[in-house]
Amino acid sequence: MAQSPGGPRTAPTRRHDTLALLATPDIDVWVATASAGGVPHLVPVSLAWTEERVVIAVDGASVTARNLRESKRARLGVGPTRDVVLLDVDLERCVEVDEDPALGASYAAQADWDPRGLDGYVFLVLRPRRIQAWRESDEIAGRTLMRDGRWLTR
Amino acid sequence: MAQSPGGPRTAPTRRHDTLALLATPDIDVWVATASAGGVPHLVPVSLAWTEERVVIAVDGASVTARNLRESKRARLGVGPTRDVVLLDVDLERCVEVDEDPALGASYAAQADWDPRGLDGYVFLVLRPRRIQAWRESDEIAGRTLMRDGRWLTR
């Protein structure tokens, strides 16, 4: 198992890097959800980060939307696999793409496409409950930055 | 939604690219699993591709190992989000890392670390049931390359 360049980061640095990553234009997120019967699903989609929420836009009839409406939860992976941010999130809101103009504008400002006007598409607003970040195995210790929706560091 | 560079690939090209990606040294995979109660889990780990199986090595007590032993299934994501391979897999075998020397040698030859000798670690041998590959939205059509464990193209 490899070491992180420069050694393991401090908690404040990891929080800073995490927030910078989530605010990156045109960034994608791996969204893992599960059916009530325990069948895992995984897709990459575009992400927006606004008011400490992750926002994704998907077809309301997709497996991801259905699983999230039913279970209210997902686990998200952002970044390359050797510099990851993992977020356990709860579904806060599911809105038609043209229902909340401010939300639509925030999403379109960060993502590289604009789902507004697309029939059947929804924004899923996801509230982080736990956030973890690590590069290599030397950063596994101290990987939890948020727990129960509260940052553990400034 | 963006277009793939050079336009959408043919099925044989996608199969070729997929096999080349899976055989890449030091490559990682996002592994999505779920508990029986429908709680999604997601972690990035190193991957080896041998005899048309994905092999990963994890702590036998990890959430990923537990979910896979119970449900027998996972969904895997490989590659960058704009050039992805998604695999729905079934657990074929779960073996202690020192139990099958040939398997251990295959894994260590491709991955960038060697779990052999690590107490409690297991190899999970995963058989693809469905494989999908796409770059951008213009490759969503024709994304399924394997169904029910059989390649749909040469």
Side-chain angles (χ1 to χ4, degrees):
Chain A
M1 304 206 189
Q3 303 295 299
S4 301
R9 294 168 295 170
T10 62
T13 301
R14 292 197 211 194
R15 176 180 167 163
H16 175 269
D17 290 351
T18 295
L19 291 172
L21 177 69
L22 293 170
T24 306
D26 300 354
I27 198 167
D28 293 327
V29 55
W30 288 95
V31 181
T33 57
S35 70
V39 177
H41 194 62
L42 179 67
V43 285
V45 299
S46 300
L47 165 158
W49 174 250
T50 178
E51 298 177 355
E52 297 240 319
R53 302 291 183 266
V54 171
V55 183
I56 63 173
V58 295
D59 188 323
S62 65
V63 175
T64 295
R66 198 169 61 227
N67 285 348
L68 262 162
R69 279 195 305 262
E70 286 176 8
S71 75
K72 311 292 187 200
R73 59 195 296 170
R75 185 162 155 99
L76 313 178
V78 191
T81 52
R82 304 301 168 99
D83 188 7
V84 299
V85 174
L86 275 291
L87 306 95
D88 291 286
V89 299
D90 297 314
L91 178 65
E92 189 172 80
R93 289 193 291 149
C94 173
V95 297
E96 300 291 324
V97 283
D98 294 308
E99 198 178 314
D100 182 336
L103 182 65
S106 287
Y107 181 88
Q110 185 178 349
D112 70 337
W113 71 299
D114 188 347
R116 289 175 292 180
L118 278 183
D119 203 32
Y121 270 67
V122 293
F123 287 123
L124 300 173
V125 180
L126 307 170
R127 187 181 53 242
R129 187 168 9 92
R130 184 171 63 162
I131 299 180
Q132 301 174 310
W134 71 88
R135 286 182 174 157
E136 299 283 355
S137 56
D138 62 354
E139 285 200 359
I140 293 296
R143 67 185 177 280
T144 301
L145 305 180
M146 175 186 282
R147 188 179 293 138
D148 298 328
R150 279 197 299 262
W151 291 99
L152 303 182
T153 182
R154 285 191 171 272
Chain B
M1 303 205 191
Q3 302 296 300
S4 302
R9 295 168 294 171
T10 64
T13 300
R14 293 197 210 193
R15 175 180 167 162
H16 175 269
D17 290 350
T18 294
L19 291 171
L21 177 69
L22 292 170
T24 306
D26 300 352
I27 197 165
D28 294 326
V29 55
W30 288 95
V31 181
T33 58
S35 70
V39 177
H41 194 61
L42 179 66
V43 286
V45 300
S46 300
L47 164 159
W49 174 250
T50 178
E51 297 178 356
E52 297 240 319
R53 302 290 183 267
V54 171
V55 183
I56 62 173
V58 294
D59 187 324
S62 64
V63 175
T64 295
R66 198 169 62 227
N67 284 348
L68 262 162
R69 280 195 305 263
E70 286 176 8
S71 75
K72 311 291 188 202
R73 58 196 296 170
R75 184 161 155 101
L76 313 178
V78 191
T81 52
R82 305 300 169 99
D83 187 7
V84 299
V85 175
L86 276 292
L87 305 96
D88 292 285
V89 298
D90 296 316
L91 178 65
E92 187 172 81
R93 289 193 292 149
C94 173
V95 298
E96 300 291 324
V97 283
D98 293 308
E99 199 178 313
D100 181 336
L103 182 64
S106 287
Y107 182 87
Q110 186 177 347
D112 69 338
W113 72 299
D114 188 346
R116 289 175 293 180
L118 278 184
D119 203 33
Y121 270 68
V122 293
F123 287 123
L124 301 173
V125 180
L126 307 170
R127 187 180 56 242
R129 187 170 7 94
R130 184 172 63 162
I131 298 180
Q132 301 173 312
W134 71 88
R135 287 182 175 159
E136 299 282 355
S137 55
D138 62 352
E139 284 200 359
I140 293 296
R143 67 186 177 278
T144 301
L145 304 179
M146 174 187 282
R147 187 179 294 139
D148 299 329
R150 279 198 299 262
W151 291 99
L152 303 182
T153 181
R154 284 191 172 272

